[in-house]
mmCIF file of all heavy atoms in Angstrom:
data_model
loop_
_atom_site.group_PDB
_atom_site.id
_atom_site.type_symbol
_atom_site.label_atom_id
_atom_site.label_comp_id
_atom_site.label_asym_id
_atom_site.label_seq_id
_atom_site.Cartn_x
_atom_site.Cartn_y
_atom_site.Cartn_z
ATOM 1 N N TYR A 273 104.213 95.856 89.917
ATOM 2 C CA TYR A 273 104.204 96.193 88.442
ATOM 3 C C TYR A 273 105.070 95.289 87.642
ATOM 4 O O TYR A 273 105.310 95.539 86.491
ATOM 5 C CB TYR A 273 104.649 97.676 88.288
ATOM 6 C CG TYR A 273 103.728 98.637 88.915
ATOM 7 C CD1 TYR A 273 103.992 99.203 90.121
ATOM 8 C CD2 TYR A 273 102.538 99.010 88.296
ATOM 9 C CE1 TYR A 273 103.152 100.148 90.718
ATOM 10 C CE2 TYR A 273 101.685 99.931 88.858
ATOM 11 C CZ TYR A 273 101.961 100.495 90.098
ATOM 12 O OH TYR A 273 101.141 101.401 90.656
ATOM 13 N N LYS A 290 110.682 98.057 81.058
ATOM 14 C CA LYS A 290 110.858 99.125 82.057
ATOM 15 C C LYS A 290 109.969 100.271 81.789
ATOM 16 O O LYS A 290 109.310 100.850 82.698
ATOM 17 C CB LYS A 290 112.353 99.558 82.056
ATOM 18 C CG LYS A 290 112.621 100.632 83.109
ATOM 19 C CD LYS A 290 114.096 101.066 83.027
ATOM 20 C CE LYS A 290 114.429 102.190 83.988
ATOM 21 N NZ LYS A 290 115.762 102.662 83.898
ATOM 22 N N LYS A 291 109.809 100.686 80.523
ATOM 23 C CA LYS A 291 108.981 101.830 80.152
ATOM 24 C C LYS A 291 107.539 101.511 80.483
ATOM 25 O O LYS A 291 106.746 102.354 80.995
ATOM 26 C CB LYS A 291 109.099 102.071 78.654
ATOM 27 C CG LYS A 291 110.276 102.943 78.239
ATOM 28 C CD LYS A 291 110.047 104.385 78.519
ATOM 29 C CE LYS A 291 111.211 105.207 77.991
ATOM 30 N NZ LYS A 291 110.989 106.670 78.263
ATOM 31 N N GLU A 292 107.163 100.260 80.222
ATOM 32 C CA GLU A 292 105.734 99.817 80.462
ATOM 33 C C GLU A 292 105.455 99.956 81.903
ATOM 34 O O GLU A 292 104.416 100.457 82.347
ATOM 35 C CB GLU A 292 105.547 98.395 79.985
ATOM 36 C CG GLU A 292 104.187 97.863 80.232
ATOM 37 C CD GLU A 292 104.112 96.386 79.800
ATOM 38 O OE1 GLU A 292 104.790 95.571 80.492
ATOM 39 O OE2 GLU A 292 103.376 96.090 78.892
ATOM 40 N N ARG A 293 106.370 99.541 82.826
ATOM 41 C CA ARG A 293 106.222 99.603 84.282
ATOM 42 C C ARG A 293 106.148 101.005 84.671
ATOM 43 O O ARG A 293 105.254 101.382 85.556
ATOM 44 C CB ARG A 293 107.352 98.869 84.965
ATOM 45 C CG ARG A 293 107.296 97.366 84.854
ATOM 46 C CD ARG A 293 108.224 96.713 85.819
ATOM 47 N NE ARG A 293 109.590 96.987 85.564
ATOM 48 C CZ ARG A 293 110.434 96.325 84.765
ATOM 49 N NH1 ARG A 293 109.952 95.219 84.148
ATOM 50 N NH2 ARG A 293 111.691 96.584 84.636
ATOM 51 N N GLU A 294 106.978 101.863 84.163
ATOM 52 C CA GLU A 294 107.034 103.266 84.575
ATOM 53 C C GLU A 294 105.692 104.002 84.227
ATOM 54 O O GLU A 294 105.208 104.760 85.076
ATOM 55 C CB GLU A 294 108.179 104.024 83.892
ATOM 56 C CG GLU A 294 109.527 103.628 84.381
ATOM 57 C CD GLU A 294 110.625 104.301 83.573
ATOM 58 O OE1 GLU A 294 110.312 104.899 82.515
ATOM 59 O OE2 GLU A 294 111.823 104.246 84.000
ATOM 60 N N TRP A 295 105.132 103.711 83.104
ATOM 61 C CA TRP A 295 103.850 104.323 82.752
ATOM 62 C C TRP A 295 102.686 103.729 83.399
ATOM 63 O O TRP A 295 101.655 104.402 83.626
ATOM 64 C CB TRP A 295 103.708 104.367 81.222
ATOM 65 C CG TRP A 295 104.619 105.375 80.659
ATOM 66 C CD1 TRP A 295 105.877 105.240 80.107
ATOM 67 C CD2 TRP A 295 104.402 106.868 80.593
ATOM 68 N NE1 TRP A 295 106.420 106.452 79.754
ATOM 69 C CE2 TRP A 295 105.554 107.442 80.052
ATOM 70 C CE3 TRP A 295 103.263 107.627 80.943
ATOM 71 C CZ2 TRP A 295 105.615 108.796 79.781
ATOM 72 C CZ3 TRP A 295 103.401 108.979 80.767
ATOM 73 C CH2 TRP A 295 104.469 109.602 80.168
ATOM 74 N N ARG A 296 102.798 102.435 83.837
ATOM 75 C CA ARG A 296 101.704 101.896 84.672
ATOM 76 C C ARG A 296 101.706 102.597 85.975
ATOM 77 O O ARG A 296 100.623 102.870 86.543
ATOM 78 C CB ARG A 296 101.937 100.389 84.883
ATOM 79 C CG ARG A 296 101.637 99.524 83.647
ATOM 80 C CD ARG A 296 101.906 98.032 83.887
ATOM 81 N NE ARG A 296 101.020 97.520 84.870
ATOM 82 C CZ ARG A 296 101.163 96.396 85.528
ATOM 83 N NH1 ARG A 296 102.259 95.666 85.306
ATOM 84 N NH2 ARG A 296 100.299 95.976 86.433
ATOM 85 N N LYS A 297 102.843 102.834 86.524
ATOM 86 C CA LYS A 297 103.006 103.535 87.829
ATOM 87 C C LYS A 297 102.483 104.945 87.653
ATOM 88 O O LYS A 297 101.766 105.455 88.545
ATOM 89 C CB LYS A 297 104.437 103.551 88.282
ATOM 90 C CG LYS A 297 104.989 102.188 88.707
ATOM 91 C CD LYS A 297 106.453 102.344 89.083
ATOM 92 C CE LYS A 297 107.102 100.959 89.354
ATOM 93 N NZ LYS A 297 108.512 101.058 89.648
ATOM 94 N N TRP A 298 102.833 105.575 86.550
ATOM 95 C CA TRP A 298 102.340 106.976 86.316
ATOM 96 C C TRP A 298 100.827 107.047 86.277
ATOM 97 O O TRP A 298 100.181 107.950 86.836
ATOM 98 C CB TRP A 298 102.945 107.458 84.968
ATOM 99 C CG TRP A 298 102.432 108.759 84.545
ATOM 100 C CD1 TRP A 298 102.839 109.997 84.968
ATOM 101 C CD2 TRP A 298 101.351 109.028 83.623
ATOM 102 N NE1 TRP A 298 102.171 110.996 84.303
ATOM 103 C CE2 TRP A 298 101.239 110.441 83.486
ATOM 104 C CE3 TRP A 298 100.538 108.220 82.856
ATOM 105 C CZ2 TRP A 298 100.303 111.016 82.637
ATOM 106 C CZ3 TRP A 298 99.606 108.795 81.978
ATOM 107 C CH2 TRP A 298 99.436 110.176 81.897
ATOM 108 N N ALA A 299 100.221 106.060 85.640
ATOM 109 C CA ALA A 299 98.789 105.993 85.539
ATOM 110 C C ALA A 299 98.150 105.959 86.966
ATOM 111 O O ALA A 299 97.201 106.632 87.318
ATOM 112 C CB ALA A 299 98.345 104.797 84.730
ATOM 113 N N ASP A 300 98.726 105.049 87.852
ATOM 114 C CA ASP A 300 98.188 104.914 89.227
ATOM 115 C C ASP A 300 98.542 106.089 90.110
ATOM 116 O O ASP A 300 97.706 106.469 90.988
ATOM 117 C CB ASP A 300 98.795 103.606 89.878
ATOM 118 C CG ASP A 300 98.180 102.347 89.270
ATOM 119 O OD1 ASP A 300 97.192 102.449 88.500
ATOM 120 O OD2 ASP A 300 98.607 101.255 89.621
ATOM 121 N N TYR A 375 98.113 116.339 81.127
ATOM 122 C CA TYR A 375 98.497 114.955 81.380
ATOM 123 C C TYR A 375 98.201 114.072 80.157
ATOM 124 O O TYR A 375 99.018 113.167 79.872
ATOM 125 C CB TYR A 375 97.776 114.422 82.613
ATOM 126 C CG TYR A 375 98.378 114.769 83.936
ATOM 127 C CD1 TYR A 375 98.567 116.113 84.339
ATOM 128 C CD2 TYR A 375 98.796 113.814 84.834
ATOM 129 C CE1 TYR A 375 99.127 116.465 85.554
ATOM 130 C CE2 TYR A 375 99.403 114.182 86.009
ATOM 131 C CZ TYR A 375 99.522 115.443 86.376
ATOM 132 O OH TYR A 375 100.091 115.783 87.564
ATOM 133 N N LEU A 378 100.855 114.684 77.567
ATOM 134 C CA LEU A 378 102.132 113.975 78.002
ATOM 135 C C LEU A 378 102.084 112.533 77.632
ATOM 136 O O LEU A 378 103.113 112.005 77.121
ATOM 137 C CB LEU A 378 102.309 114.147 79.533
ATOM 138 C CG LEU A 378 103.555 113.504 80.162
ATOM 139 C CD1 LEU A 378 104.798 114.084 79.603
ATOM 140 C CD2 LEU A 378 103.473 113.597 81.680
ATOM 141 N N TRP A 379 100.984 111.931 77.910
ATOM 142 C CA TRP A 379 100.794 110.466 77.488
ATOM 143 C C TRP A 379 100.884 110.291 75.987
ATOM 144 O O TRP A 379 101.614 109.361 75.529
ATOM 145 C CB TRP A 379 99.489 109.959 78.053
ATOM 146 C CG TRP A 379 99.034 108.659 77.445
ATOM 147 C CD1 TRP A 379 98.032 108.362 76.567
ATOM 148 C CD2 TRP A 379 99.701 107.391 77.673
ATOM 149 N NE1 TRP A 379 97.999 107.033 76.172
ATOM 150 C CE2 TRP A 379 99.000 106.384 76.832
ATOM 151 C CE3 TRP A 379 100.755 106.976 78.411
ATOM 152 C CZ2 TRP A 379 99.371 105.021 76.801
ATOM 153 C CZ3 TRP A 379 101.129 105.636 78.364
ATOM 154 C CH2 TRP A 379 100.450 104.668 77.631
ATOM 155 N N MET A 380 100.225 111.117 75.197
ATOM 156 C CA MET A 380 100.239 110.979 73.761
ATOM 157 C C MET A 380 101.640 111.240 73.239
ATOM 158 O O MET A 380 102.055 110.746 72.216
ATOM 159 C CB MET A 380 99.182 111.943 73.145
ATOM 160 C CG MET A 380 97.751 111.480 73.396
ATOM 161 S SD MET A 380 97.450 109.758 73.025
ATOM 162 C CE MET A 380 97.952 109.657 71.266
ATOM 163 N N LYS A 381 102.380 112.115 73.867
ATOM 164 C CA LYS A 381 103.741 112.374 73.469
ATOM 165 C C LYS A 381 104.587 111.149 73.643
ATOM 166 O O LYS A 381 105.417 110.831 72.784
ATOM 167 C CB LYS A 381 104.369 113.506 74.239
ATOM 168 C CG LYS A 381 105.766 113.891 73.850
ATOM 169 C CD LYS A 381 106.322 115.012 74.705
ATOM 170 C CE LYS A 381 107.703 115.389 74.337
ATOM 171 N NZ LYS A 381 108.290 116.496 75.110
ATOM 172 N N GLU A 382 104.326 110.357 74.699
ATOM 173 C CA GLU A 382 105.088 109.092 74.894
ATOM 174 C C GLU A 382 104.620 108.053 73.899
ATOM 175 O O GLU A 382 105.411 107.266 73.360
ATOM 176 C CB GLU A 382 104.847 108.584 76.324
ATOM 177 C CG GLU A 382 105.541 107.291 76.674
ATOM 178 C CD GLU A 382 107.084 107.424 76.567
ATOM 179 O OE1 GLU A 382 107.630 108.511 76.825
ATOM 180 O OE2 GLU A 382 107.681 106.373 76.282
ATOM 181 N N VAL A 383 103.339 108.034 73.585
ATOM 182 C CA VAL A 383 102.845 107.047 72.570
ATOM 183 C C VAL A 383 103.562 107.320 71.213
ATOM 184 O O VAL A 383 104.039 106.420 70.508
ATOM 185 C CB VAL A 383 101.367 107.093 72.418
ATOM 186 C CG1 VAL A 383 100.917 106.281 71.216
ATOM 187 C CG2 VAL A 383 100.696 106.598 73.685
ATOM 188 N N MET A 390 101.273 102.539 72.614
ATOM 189 C CA MET A 390 102.574 102.539 73.265
ATOM 190 C C MET A 390 103.257 101.181 73.081
ATOM 191 O O MET A 390 104.486 101.105 72.971
ATOM 192 C CB MET A 390 102.423 102.917 74.699
ATOM 193 C CG MET A 390 103.777 103.020 75.379
ATOM 194 S SD MET A 390 103.651 103.341 77.183
ATOM 195 C CE MET A 390 105.348 103.233 77.673
ATOM 196 N N ALA A 398 100.537 99.253 79.781
ATOM 197 C CA ALA A 398 100.447 100.679 80.036
ATOM 198 C C ALA A 398 99.291 101.249 79.231
ATOM 199 O O ALA A 398 98.446 102.098 79.775
ATOM 200 C CB ALA A 398 101.693 101.340 79.675
ATOM 201 N N ASP A 399 99.128 100.804 77.994
ATOM 202 C CA ASP A 399 97.983 101.265 77.156
ATOM 203 C C ASP A 399 96.668 100.937 77.867
ATOM 204 O O ASP A 399 95.739 101.741 77.992
ATOM 205 C CB ASP A 399 98.001 100.606 75.823
ATOM 206 C CG ASP A 399 99.082 101.198 74.849
ATOM 207 O OD1 ASP A 399 98.982 102.435 74.603
ATOM 208 O OD2 ASP A 399 99.999 100.467 74.429
ATOM 209 N N ALA A 401 96.129 100.281 80.968
ATOM 210 C CA ALA A 401 95.964 100.957 82.257
ATOM 211 C C ALA A 401 95.365 102.387 82.038
ATOM 212 O O ALA A 401 94.421 102.716 82.638
ATOM 213 C CB ALA A 401 97.306 101.056 83.011
ATOM 214 N N VAL A 402 96.006 103.115 81.165
ATOM 215 C CA VAL A 402 95.554 104.508 80.830
ATOM 216 C C VAL A 402 94.143 104.471 80.217
ATOM 217 O O VAL A 402 93.286 105.237 80.582
ATOM 218 C CB VAL A 402 96.535 105.290 79.964
ATOM 219 C CG1 VAL A 402 96.062 106.651 79.658
ATOM 220 C CG2 VAL A 402 97.884 105.333 80.630
#
Side-chain angles (χ1 to χ4, degrees):
Y273 296 100
K290 181 182 177 182
K291 280 281 187 183
E292 181 185 64
R293 289 192 296 268
E294 288 176 350
W295 284 96
R296 288 178 66 194
K297 292 176 186 178
W298 174 82
D300 285 354
Y375 276 61
L378 178 64
W379 165 251
M380 290 310 301
K381 181 179 179 181
E382 180 62 30
V383 172
M390 184 182 173
D399 285 299
V402 177

